[in-house]
Structure formats: C-alpha cells, structure tokens
Amino acid sequence: MTKDNPAYKFSMQVDYGKYLEFAAATGFKPKPEKEMPVVPPTFLATAEAWLPPGTWPAGEILGFDLKRSLHGEQEFIFHKPIRVGDRLNGRIWLESTFSKTGSRGGEMRFSIWVTDFHDENGNSVAQSKMTIVETGSEK
Amino acid sequence: MNLNESQVIATREFGPISRTDIVRYQAASGDFNPIHHDIEFAKSAGFDDVFVVGMLIAGYLATFASDLVGVESINKFKIRFQAQTWPGDQILCSAKIIFADQHINGNERLVTLELIAKNQNGVLAATAQADARISSDSLLLSSK
C-alpha cells in the first residue's frame, strides 16, 4: 500500500448541513450558506462519514485491537481553504508503522495514516495525518 | 492590539462535556467508536467509563484558534493528545501567539498559535499548534 495505491478511496461533498452539525458539536459559530464559508480546521475528520460504516484502517489492515488503541496525534494541512460546496476526492494510505516497548513492558504499535484530498480538477487541496497507537497487552 | 507584542495569551473554556456532547460530536464526525458512548464496551476494554473523543477536544481548540485569527487564515492545525478526558470534564484552553519576524506579501504575516487544553484539575489533555497567515489589521483578539 502506497500513496499511489491507497487502501481506501472515497468522495465527499462538503455540505452545509454537515457544516452546521459539526459547528454545533465543536462550539464553532457558523456563517450563512450563501457565503460558502470556510470549514473549521478539523472539519475534514468528517471524511469518516463518507466511508462504509465501521471502516477502521488500523484494525482492518494491521489487526490493531480497537479496545487497546488510542488516537495519538492528528494533523491537517490546507493548500487552499476548504469551503461549503466543495467536492473532494480522498485517498487513505499507510505512511509508516513501527513499534516501541511501552512503560508497562508490552509492545506498543504505532501507525501513521495519511488522507490526501483532491478537488475535482485533481489539484491537491489538503492532507490529513493520523497517528494511531495500540498499547501493549500487559495492562 | 499591538502587533509589536511578540506573544499574547488568550484563554477560553468549553464544557462541562456531557455524554450528549460526545454523541453529538460522534454523529457529526462519523466516528462511531463505541468506547466513547457504550459504557459496557468501555468497561470491557478496562476503563471505568466512556472517555471523550480526542477529536472533540481538537475541535474545541480549532474553534478557539479560528476565533482568534480567522478560520480562513489557518493553513495547518496539529494536535497531540496527552491524556484522556471524561464526561463532566471542563476544558480550559489557552493560546500563546508567536509572530514571525518578517512580513510576507506586503502586510501579511505568518503566525503560530501554540495551544493547550487542560481539564478542571489542571491535567494536560492536549497540545496543539495552528499556523496562519494574517494581515496586520485583521487580528480578532477582542478578549483575554
């Protein structure tokens, strides 16, 4: 699996209803639809809503145990502002995976997942990077 | 607001986070990991209760950053989760603003917001950073 051969592909519409829902959930003051507002910085987390329910790359591809996994880090980079009304194509791929010995002795596994977002003309508009950590089985 | 200041501290509070707030975020984002709303599942994973979705804390910090410098100006947002937060927790956010020395494109300037989120007991929940390009007259710091 690579950038050119992603694990998942999806298409998402940045719609105003989802923008309002996300704004309400995060204390963000929404703007009128007619302004085609720029979405808040973590809005692209809603890409998950455009994948089949239950999609979880770290579990499906690396066998991470959901009960022992944590979200370690998250990053969003914007090459242009993402606005209500945009249609985006997404590709999810595994950038790297590595292990460390945890403080309680078990093996901690790390995986870094990248989602590249392109507009309808194929221009790269944003990138999301997510670090998922599976803690050791020794609790 | 004097742009010659190299740093400004701003603060904002969110919460207390209810279970409904967690569910509202999960429905909005599409992340239905049961560990954040299904107490039986959370117990089976060794936790005493459900814990707050980290990305909700990220969303609060992103809202805070957006209100400080303008949502359109932010071109990078990065967060590292440090500790779990729990239903009933209050989230106290603070920001340090670091101005780049040089102006770019006339009166545009790069700024970095260094953000932290703590719970009501002072436990560090997350650290984050937002990079933005602002014009010198657009900073929206109306309160400390």
Side-chain angles (χ1 to χ4, degrees):
Chain A
M1 185 188 348
T2 62
K3 184 179 173 60
D4 297 319
N5 183 24
Y8 304 86
K9 292 183 189 178
F10 62 95
S11 181
M12 67 183 279
Q13 178 73 38
V14 182
D15 64 58
Y16 190 61
K18 181 58 78 181
Y19 168 84
L20 290 179
E21 255 188 276
F22 193 83
T26 57
F28 184 86
K29 191 173 175 224
K31 291 183 175 156
E33 184 174 17
K34 62 176 192 271
E35 292 178 17
M36 298 175 78
V38 172
V39 301
T42 66
F43 179 86
L44 288 179
T46 65
E48 198 155 347
W50 296 85
L51 290 159
T55 301
W56 194 55
E60 287 155 27
I61 292 167
L62 299 175
F64 277 28
D65 181 350
L66 181 63
K67 292 182 179 177
R68 289 192 281 125
S69 294
L70 297 169
H71 195 170
E73 292 184 39
Q74 179 69 47
E75 177 178 319
F76 298 97
I77 294 171
F78 304 100
H79 307 307
K80 68 178 268 295
I82 306 300
R83 292 178 179 278
V84 168
D86 287 352
R87 176 163 281 279
L88 305 175
N89 294 310
R91 295 167 152 247
I92 303 174
W93 51 283
L94 177 63
E95 186 190 74
S96 61
T97 179
F98 53 95
S99 301
K100 286 182 189 171
T101 301
S103 57
R104 296 186 184 91
E107 185 195 38
M108 292 175 74
R109 291 201 285 166
F110 293 74
S111 60
I112 301 177
W113 299 87
V114 173
T115 306
D116 284 314
F117 294 90
H118 291 83
D119 66 16
E120 289 178 293
N121 300 318
N123 300 312
S124 173
V125 293
Q127 187 179 69
S128 152
K129 200 174 273 199
M130 172 174 66
T131 303
I132 298 293
V133 185
E134 186 197 52
T135 58
S137 52
E138 314 298 317
K139 278 229 165 202
Chain B
M1 159 75 223
N2 179 1
L3 279 183
N4 292 324
E5 288 176 46
S6 61
Q7 299 183 344
V8 178
I9 297 295
T11 61
R12 180 143 164 202
E13 243 180 272
F14 293 90
I17 300 173
S18 68
R19 287 160 205 275
T20 304
D21 292 332
I22 294 171
V23 170
R24 183 182 291 112
Y25 181 80
Q26 288 205 276
S29 70
D31 168 8
F32 287 98
N33 185 342
I35 211 151
H36 303 300
H37 61 259
D38 180 339
I39 194 164
E40 295 309 320
F41 184 88
K43 285 182 172 171
S44 76
F47 298 100
D48 293 334
D49 197 352
V50 298
F51 55 90
V52 176
V53 197
M55 287 306 291
L56 175 55
I57 307 302
Y60 289 153
L61 284 172
T63 290
F64 177 42
S66 298
D67 288 347
L68 288 174
V69 295
V71 66
E72 299 85 356
S73 71
I74 295 174
N75 51 35
K76 183 175 172 183
F77 182 88
K78 182 176 185 175
I79 185 163
R80 174 178 283 192
F81 300 108
Q82 307 282 358
Q84 283 141 325
T85 56
W86 304 89
D89 277 0
Q90 282 180 288
I91 304 301
L92 312 173
C93 303
S94 62
K96 184 185 282 190
I97 302 186
I98 302 192
F99 295 97
D101 292 336
Q102 302 296 322
H103 288 248
I104 47 168
N105 298 338
N107 74 336
E108 261 198 329
R109 211 162 171 187
L110 298 174
V111 299
T112 296
L113 297 179
E114 289 186 354
L115 305 154
I116 61 174
K118 292 182 174 179
N119 75 5
Q120 67 284 355
N121 299 319
V123 175
L124 185 64
T127 53
Q129 187 180 314
D131 293 347
R133 304 168 70 121
I134 59 164
S135 63
S136 298
D137 53 1
S138 72
L139 202 59
L140 305 175
L141 284 171
S142 55
S143 61
K144 290 226 169 188

